[in-house]
Amino acid sequence: MSAPTTFSVALHNETATAQLMADLALLVGPGDVITLTGDLGAGKTAAARALIRYLASDETLEVPSPTFTLVQGYELPPFPVMHADLYRVEDESELEEIGLSPLPDATLVLIEWPERAPSAMPQDRIDISLTHRPALGSNARAADITGYGKSAATVARLQALREFLDVSGYLESTRRRMAGDASTRSYARLRRDEEIVILMNFPQRPDGAATYNGKSYSAAVHLAENVKPFVAIDEGLRAQGISAPIIHHSDLDHGFLITEDFGSEGVVEGDPPRPIAERYEAAADVLATLHGKTLPETLPLADQTYAIPVFDTEALLIEIGLMPEWYLPDRNAPLSETARSEFFAMWRELLKKPQAAPRTWIIRDYHSPNLIWLGDRAGIARVGVIDFQDTVLGPQSYDVVSLLQDARIDVPETIELTLLSRYIKARRAADAGFDPAGFAELYAIMSAQRNTRLLGTFARLNRRDGKPHYLRHQPRIWTYLQRSLAHPALSSLRDWYLANVPPPKI
């Protein structure tokens, strides 16, 4: 087991406590345990309350001391939180009665007075020891934060984050939680006077074990495993006139950024959400403009360079393989070895055309959650792009599919075809040699590839990562998949899917 990691923070008032706990909240998640120690009145409940309110995005949330109830549960937007107070516990056997032995899975647990049940505390935990510091003020405290076991790395990261915020001038800023995504990244809005910026926490972390020829899934399909690709691509996009956020401060080694805040005005409206025509047209124009350029394949990054990875056939096949690996077992439709071999053989043949097509930057998840409307700008600069760290080199049709067959909202086929025609018209106007029919075939192939992968991705997010809300997107993905399989070039694949792939549950 790694040695404990400790650092200390002077907390002059409750605002400073709230800032510290917001920073810690950015780095912890379900399964983590935080113990709070200190004398009566040292501020343990105030610290727990600050963290819970930050995660709830509600400064007025009622968070009573659990001294009498012993345990208080909260179903918060990112994950459940359990707040316990063991002051009245006389024997560790009582922990089972109150739901703390064993500790609950997939829950962040905050425990006051852990010394009442020392042997029941997990080896991996963060302890915050609070003491009065009257010399600093009547409400001042000192916090000694110690990480034990695996949590030592989290405490070291918390110290690095605090140092980054201090150097950047944002240590005293107000923190507001931002909703995350399917990744390990987390975000906060920082307010300093009238200025608002975004703090990004991008930990170095592979997605999955090394099961793909000795590589993690993220490495095998060229997903970013640290913040460096984000920085390189951000600067590359801005050099092409595309609105990516300005990076004000960066710590590339630890994976912290402070960036421009584009706000939250999106490109969809209504409930259920639907595309706003003008904004989707501008988003399609961004792609037509970008794809008409000869783009560099290497970009500057600090004192080095970053080579954009190629979206090669093996990476595309590994992505497609998520469907038989995760989706088909959920539908009780496992493949025979023969059917599996047919599946990959057909796909390997189909992917020859996209691989031979001209390459561009594929932003990859170029769709509504990652597009911000910047109405005070002009032309294609009105579309703010915020998710591009996984950019690869590949066929131009891929991002057009991402936009026009949005995984998160329904794009009616009439709108899809109108925008596809707009894109093709813009490309032909800039290049008389552009082949609309050839592009339409590549569009169908990459649509089938992307939507096949998404069926598996959403099944994996549910089963592996405990995120069942992604399953609601599967019927939409299925609809898009049927559209692409209708292309004559995919007739054999369509027959195979008809025989082997059942539709998702509705």
Side-chain angles (χ1 to χ4, degrees):
M1 181 183 295
S2 58
T5 296
T6 301
F7 78 103
S8 301
V9 178
L11 304 172
H12 294 272
N13 49 41
E14 283 205 11
T15 298
T17 299
Q19 290 162 344
L20 171 66
M21 299 311 288
D23 296 340
L24 178 57
L26 201 69
L27 308 181
V28 296
D32 288 326
V33 175
I34 300 169
T35 55
L36 297 144
T37 57
D39 294 336
L40 284 168
K44 300 183 294 297
T45 299
R49 181 180 296 121
L51 189 146
I52 291 167
R53 285 178 171 174
Y54 175 84
L55 291 172
S57 300
D58 183 354
E59 293 181 23
T60 63
L61 180 69
E62 187 71 23
V63 183
S65 169
T67 301
F68 295 102
T69 57
L70 300 185
V71 173
Q72 183 73 41
Y74 300 87
E75 289 294 329
L76 301 183
F79 42 74
V81 174
M82 180 179 282
H83 181 197
D85 185 325
L86 307 187
Y87 185 71
R88 295 170 57 235
V89 168
E90 296 181 359
D91 188 276
E92 290 187 2
S93 62
E94 297 175 37
L95 298 187
E96 187 173 353
E97 298 174 26
I98 61 175
L100 286 178
S101 181
L103 289 168
D105 294 329
T107 300
L108 175 66
V109 181
L110 309 173
I111 302 175
E112 298 184 41
W113 297 99
E115 58 269 37
R116 299 286 188 176
S119 65
M121 295 302 104
Q123 292 183 330
D124 303 319
R125 71 185 188 281
I126 296 169
D127 182 72
I128 302 176
S129 176
L130 294 160
T131 50
H132 292 277
R133 283 291 188 272
L136 301 176
S138 58
N139 293 319
R141 305 284 188 273
D144 296 313
I145 306 158
T146 304
Y148 296 95
K150 294 177 181 177
S151 297
T154 305
V155 169
R157 189 164 179 78
L158 177 62
Q159 183 175 10
L161 172 58
R162 299 278 297 179
E163 291 170 355
F164 172 68
L165 290 170
D166 191 20
V167 169
S168 304
Y170 290 91
L171 190 60
E172 305 299 322
S173 64
T174 303
R175 280 75 154 168
R176 292 288 179 269
R177 178 184 168 271
M178 294 178 68
D181 49 26
S183 74
T184 58
R185 298 182 296 278
S186 55
Y187 306 87
R189 277 196 165 94
L190 308 180
R191 187 180 191 108
R192 184 178 63 181
D193 299 324
E194 296 305 308
E195 178 195 24
I196 300 176
V197 294
I198 289 178
L199 168 65
M200 177 193 288
N201 164 49
F202 196 141
Q204 170 90 33
R205 193 176 302 171
D207 182 8
T211 54
Y212 297 91
N213 295 322
K215 295 180 179 179
S216 66
Y217 175 79
S218 51
V221 303
H222 313 303
L223 299 178
E225 295 184 346
N226 58 52
V227 79
K228 293 178 182 179
F230 182 97
V231 174
I233 300 297
D234 181 281
E235 294 172 356
L237 288 170
R238 293 179 60 240
Q240 300 299 329
I242 292 174
S243 292
I246 296 168
I247 297 172
H248 299 302
H249 303 277
S250 62
D251 179 343
L252 298 186
D253 292 331
H254 290 101
F256 299 127
L257 300 178
I258 291 175
T259 74
E260 178 182 9
D261 180 11
F262 280 162
S264 55
E265 189 173 353
V267 296
V268 298
E269 64 182 356
D271 185 18
R274 57 188 182 276
I276 299 173
E278 176 194 14
R279 300 179 183 186
Y280 262 68
E281 288 168 359
D285 293 346
V286 168
L287 295 180
T289 302
L290 190 66
H291 297 167
K293 296 184 176 186
T294 301
L295 300 170
E297 298 189 355
T298 6
L299 295 168
L301 174 64
D303 56 353
Q304 51 190 306
T305 57
Y306 173 71
I308 302 175
V310 175
F311 210 11
D312 51 65
T313 299
E314 294 311 311
L316 290 162
L317 289 173
I318 287 171
E319 282 197 341
I320 293 165
L322 293 180
M323 192 273 288
E325 183 181 355
W326 293 94
Y327 174 77
L328 290 183
D330 279 0
R331 302 300 294 119
N332 196 29
L335 293 179
S336 67
E337 281 305 313
T338 301
R340 180 181 294 271
S341 297
E342 290 172 349
F343 175 73
F344 285 107
M346 280 191 292
W347 267 114
R348 192 174 288 277
E349 186 63 29
L350 268 177
L351 291 172
K352 287 180 178 178
K353 282 190 177 179
Q355 289 295 349
R359 286 177 179 160
T360 190
W361 295 354
I362 297 178
I363 295 171
R364 223 154 169 175
D365 278 333
Y366 187 82
H367 58 177
S368 62
N370 301 326
L371 303 176
I372 307 297
W373 186 248
L374 306 171
D376 58 343
R377 303 189 186 185
I380 63 170
R382 293 175 297 170
V383 180
V385 186
I386 60 171
D387 186 313
F388 40 74
Q389 64 284 335
D390 299 327
T391 294
V392 286
L393 300 172
Q396 298 164 348
S397 57
Y398 189 93
D399 278 346
V400 185
V401 171
S402 300
L403 176 67
L404 305 191
Q405 295 189 340
D406 192 315
R408 308 298 180 87
I409 70 159
D410 293 328
V411 180
E413 192 167 14
T414 52
I415 294 178
E416 177 187 0
L417 294 175
T418 299
L419 290 168
L420 183 58
S421 297
R422 180 185 182 91
Y423 171 89
I424 289 172
K425 184 178 179 180
R427 293 299 310 280
R428 289 192 74 183
D431 176 10
F434 182 78
D435 175 13
F439 183 84
E441 181 178 348
L442 293 175
Y443 180 92
I445 293 171
M446 296 319 296
S447 164
Q449 189 277 341
R450 178 174 170 81
N451 290 306
T452 296
R453 188 264 295 176
L454 285 171
L455 284 177
T457 298
F458 292 151
R460 184 176 67 167
L461 282 166
N462 170 49
R463 192 141 43 93
R464 188 195 71 178
D465 301 337
K467 298 178 178 179
H469 55 283
Y470 283 94
L471 294 180
R472 71 176 187 268
H473 300 306
Q474 285 184 333
R476 176 183 308 113
I477 298 306
W478 183 261
T479 298
Y480 293 149
L481 182 58
Q482 301 315 301
R483 290 182 196 171
S484 59
L485 291 175
H487 193 283
L490 278 68
S491 58
S492 296
L493 190 68
R494 180 175 65 249
D495 292 342
W496 188 95
Y497 275 57
L498 190 62
N500 295 284
V501 186
K505 293 178 181 177
I506 302 213

